[in-house]
Amino acid sequence: ICTLLIFSTTINYMDRNVIGYLKEYFCSPDGFGWSNTDFSYVTSIFTAFYALMTIFAGIIIDKIGTKLGLTLSLIVFSVFGILNAFVGKLVIYHMMVRSLFGIGEAGNFPASIKIVAEWFPKKERALATSIFNSGSNLGAMIAALFVPWCMIFFSSDLGWKMAFILTGSVGFLWLIFWFIFYDTPGKMKEKGRLTAGEYDYIHKDDLPTEINSNGDVAKKVSWGKLLTYRQTWSFFVGKFMTDGVWWFLLFWLPDYLKKQFGMTTQEVMLPTFIVYGVAIVGAIFSGSLPLIFMNKGWSTYKSRMTSMLIIAFFPLLLIFTQFFGNVSYFGSMAPVYAIAIICIAASAHCGWSANIFTTVSDMFPKKVVATVTGIGAAAGGLGGVLMQLLPGYLTDLYKDTPEVAYHIMFVVCSLLYLIAWVIMKLLVPKAAIIDDL
């Protein structure tokens, strides 16, 4: 199950990251001639539609099930990822296609988090989530190598098109394995592919009302009702305040490395590859933290929130990124120091993300996990919109001193996790499992 979800998430992030490595071409006089603000509009409109549609995607997936829901999501974002290659140079056309692309991408996390809730007992969910969520880093790593290769191997006016076409096509290969290997625990048990002992282990800490013969509950719960719970707003705030940091790193890290250190497109490949690679290790370790605490006898909620508090301190190092990235002070080692700090922050974000996603299945019954995840993902996408517009505005405002623009961005990013944790703790000060839906 984790392997299937890793690859769906890898494809999801590989497709969305393509545009980040095409920014230099899109914003060059020899390419599309866009401004930084134009580029931020394209990434922001994708993020906005992604945010809006995660609400509906969660509701739809709770209704039609995870297998069909993730299938439809992947088909839509793969098709529009490919179509991005055929829209020419105008910003408005790219905004239109990326918005439709965002609609498709919106289904991946609501479906994946619901699948983890269906297939894993509570104490294993953060680790399972961190494992499949590492696909976001793998996708970014692949894009970091593959897109620049396309621009080198093909001519520039063909390379950007092939980057969209080839990455968008991979999703259809994944669908073959998805249909062969995946179903809900209940249906897998009926087919003899899951033992009674395995099935009971998966559901050992479920509420009595949570499962039927398929491991699902058909009763509908409106998202309006879900918004009356503090637990929903805790997840909403946590996602809104922190998701944008990852969007910023995905779309603007290559630009930062080029402007701060004068790197070429080819030189950017290795450091970005390293950042996302190191983040995988950090994510899996951070995802295992709650399990360590639970094995000591701590409650699920205490284990989760303690882990998130520990993780929230590491992004504070971003405050020092520009100091250690100052070539005048540290010479050739400056990029190494700056990238090391960004690696730590990226790892912390991935660990935070795995744990905050898992708070949903900790506090809500399985039948509404995708819907609540969709609400939170929408909040994260809204925060992501702001975090795309801000660097676009700042890099144009400080065009002659981009290091100032990025210093502001790193300071903002560094503080968001602790602030988010405090608000989440105020909203839900102690464990409160919702069992009346």
Side-chain angles (χ1 to χ4, degrees):
I1 300 302
C2 276
T3 301
L4 287 168
L5 297 182
I6 284 173
F7 282 106
S8 71
T9 306
T10 297
I11 295 165
N12 185 281
Y13 270 79
M14 178 178 65
D15 288 3
R16 76 172 67 176
N17 270 34
V18 169
I19 196 167
Y21 294 94
L22 295 174
K23 179 182 181 296
E24 183 179 31
Y25 178 72
F26 288 171
C27 294
S28 70
D30 296 330
F32 291 1
W34 292 357
S35 67
N36 292 324
T37 302
D38 289 334
F39 179 79
S40 73
Y41 287 157
V42 174
T43 58
S44 296
I45 196 69
F46 156 73
T47 310
F49 271 81
Y50 174 89
L52 176 65
M53 287 307 301
T54 48
I55 298 176
F56 299 102
I59 295 171
I60 292 168
I61 288 165
D62 274 331
K63 184 174 182 179
I64 68 175
T66 49
K67 186 167 187 174
L68 180 58
L70 192 51
T71 299
L72 293 175
S73 171
L74 192 130
I75 289 173
V76 172
F77 77 69
S78 294
V79 168
F80 285 103
I82 293 170
L83 288 179
N84 221 138
F86 301 98
V87 295
K89 299 182 178 181
L90 291 180
V91 173
I92 186 64
Y93 291 156
H94 282 268
M95 291 173 66
M96 291 169 61
V97 173
R98 292 306 276 184
S99 64
L100 296 172
F101 173 73
I103 291 173
E105 291 235 323
N108 185 75
F109 274 94
S112 297
I113 297 300
K114 186 177 178 70
I115 289 167
V116 168
E118 289 176 342
W119 274 94
F120 295 87
K122 285 185 178 180
K123 73 175 185 177
E124 295 181 5
R125 289 176 190 170
L127 181 57
T129 301
S130 67
I131 291 172
F132 92 71
N133 194 38
S134 66
S136 62
N137 303 82
L138 288 171
M141 291 168 69
I142 294 170
L145 298 179
F146 183 72
V147 178
W149 175 84
C150 280
M151 296 299 286
I152 296 169
F153 186 81
F154 302 98
S155 59
S156 295
D157 58 344
L158 178 61
W160 71 271
K161 296 178 181 178
M162 294 305 297
F164 283 121
I165 293 170
L166 295 176
T167 55
S169 301
V170 176
F172 296 104
L173 178 63
W174 176 88
L175 284 174
I176 298 172
F177 296 94
W178 178 243
F179 280 110
I180 291 173
F181 292 111
Y182 182 78
D183 222 320
T184 61
K187 290 182 179 178
M188 294 285 267
K189 182 183 175 185
E190 290 175 2
K191 296 174 182 177
R193 298 171 64 184
L194 191 71
T195 68
E198 290 169 329
Y199 182 83
D200 291 342
Y201 178 76
I202 290 169
H203 295 294
K204 67 179 183 178
D205 50 11
D206 288 346
L207 298 171
T209 57
E210 277 196 293
I211 59 172
N212 60 16
S213 60
N214 291 326
D216 298 312
V217 173
K219 180 183 175 183
K220 289 179 62 178
V221 180
S222 70
W223 63 267
K225 182 177 181 180
L226 293 171
L227 291 176
T228 64
Y229 291 98
R230 283 184 164 212
Q231 291 89 335
T232 305
W233 286 104
S234 173
F235 183 58
F236 184 99
V237 169
K239 294 290 287 179
F240 173 76
M241 296 195 68
T242 60
D243 270 21
V245 177
W246 191 244
W247 292 101
F248 166 64
L249 290 177
L250 287 178
F251 293 133
W252 291 89
L253 180 57
D255 186 68
Y256 164 70
L257 294 173
K258 291 172 183 177
K259 289 179 177 175
Q260 181 74 15
F261 305 113
M263 293 185 181
T264 64
T265 299
Q266 291 73 36
E267 290 171 336
V268 162
M269 293 167 60
L270 180 59
T272 51
F273 186 86
I274 291 172
V275 167
Y276 300 127
V278 171
I280 293 175
V281 179
I284 294 175
F285 172 75
S286 300
S288 68
L289 271 181
L291 183 58
I292 294 171
F293 294 135
M294 287 181 211
N295 287 336
K296 292 179 180 293
W298 292 21
S299 70
T300 301
Y301 182 77
K302 182 180 178 182
S303 300
R304 196 82 64 210
M305 293 303 290
T306 301
S307 299
M308 292 174 67
L309 177 60
I310 293 170
I311 292 166
F313 281 100
F314 286 95
L316 292 176
L317 292 172
L318 286 172
I319 294 172
F320 306 103
T321 307
Q322 293 299 71
F323 172 74
F324 286 102
N326 191 321
V327 177
S328 299
Y329 294 161
F330 298 102
S332 61
M333 292 301 294
V336 176
Y337 296 151
I339 291 164
I341 291 173
I342 294 170
C343 282
I344 295 170
S347 298
H349 174 85
C350 292
W352 171 278
S353 181
N355 279 285
I356 195 172
F357 269 128
T358 314
T359 61
V360 178
S361 56
D362 288 343
M363 296 188 290
F364 289 90
K366 293 180 181 181
K367 61 187 174 184
V368 297
V369 164
T371 301
V372 178
T373 301
I375 293 171
L382 180 59
V385 171
L386 300 178
M387 291 293 280
Q388 296 305 304
L389 294 175
L390 184 57
Y393 168 77
L394 289 173
T395 50
D396 278 340
L397 180 65
Y398 296 99
K399 195 169 185 178
D400 297 327
T401 53
E403 65 275 6
V404 175
Y406 280 106
H407 178 64
I408 295 171
M409 288 302 306
F410 286 131
V411 171
V412 170
C413 292
S414 70
L415 300 173
L416 292 175
Y417 297 88
L418 277 176
I419 296 172
W421 188 92
V422 170
I423 297 173
M424 291 175 69
K425 188 66 174 175
L426 290 173
L427 286 169
V428 186
K430 60 182 180 179
I433 301 171
I434 297 172
D435 58 3
D436 60 345
L437 290 172

